[in-house]
Amino acid sequence: MGSLIGSILCLYLITLLVSMVLAFFRFIADVKKWHDKEEKVHITPSQFEADIYEVVEISDRKEGEGVNDNDTEC
């Protein structure tokens, strides 16, 4: 009786392993089927956005930034 239960458990484990492997391959096939490949998208700003960035850059700059008239060479 013990060998019968042992062989039933072994058969059950083998069927679980086989179905696990088959389920993995099925999952891979579904992912390939439904997953779109990513493509690079180049986004160009509209004229309105370009004008806003230009205004922000101008307002961030200080007058005479980076230039010091008092510097003299030694």
Side-chain angles (χ1 to χ4, degrees), residues 22-36:
L22 292 176
F24 176 74
F25 287 121
R26 176 65 190 252
F27 172 74
I28 296 298
D30 283 343
V31 168
K32 284 185 177 181
K33 181 179 179 182
W34 295 108
H35 183 69
D36 293 335

Side-chain angles (χ1 to χ4, degrees), residues 6 13 16 43 49 52 58:
L13 288 175
L16 284 178
I43 300 173
E49 291 171 334
I52 289 175
I58 291 173

Side-chain angles (χ1 to χ4, degrees), residues 8-64:
I8 290 173
L9 285 175
C10 285
L11 183 63
Y12 180 66
L13 288 175
I14 290 171
T15 55
L16 284 178
L17 289 173
V18 168
S19 57
M20 181 179 66
V21 170
L22 292 176
F24 176 74
F25 287 121
R26 176 65 190 252
F27 172 74
I28 296 298
D30 283 343
V31 168
K32 284 185 177 181
K33 181 179 179 182
W34 295 108
H35 183 69
D36 293 335
K37 292 186 178 183
E38 296 179 7
E39 297 176 3
K40 284 188 175 182
V41 178
H42 181 69
I43 300 173
T44 56
S46 65
Q47 185 60 41
F48 176 73
E49 291 171 334
D51 292 342
I52 289 175
Y53 291 134
E54 186 176 321
V55 169
V56 169
E57 287 177 4
I58 291 173
S59 65
D60 285 346
R61 278 189 242 147
K62 295 177 184 172
E63 203 168 304

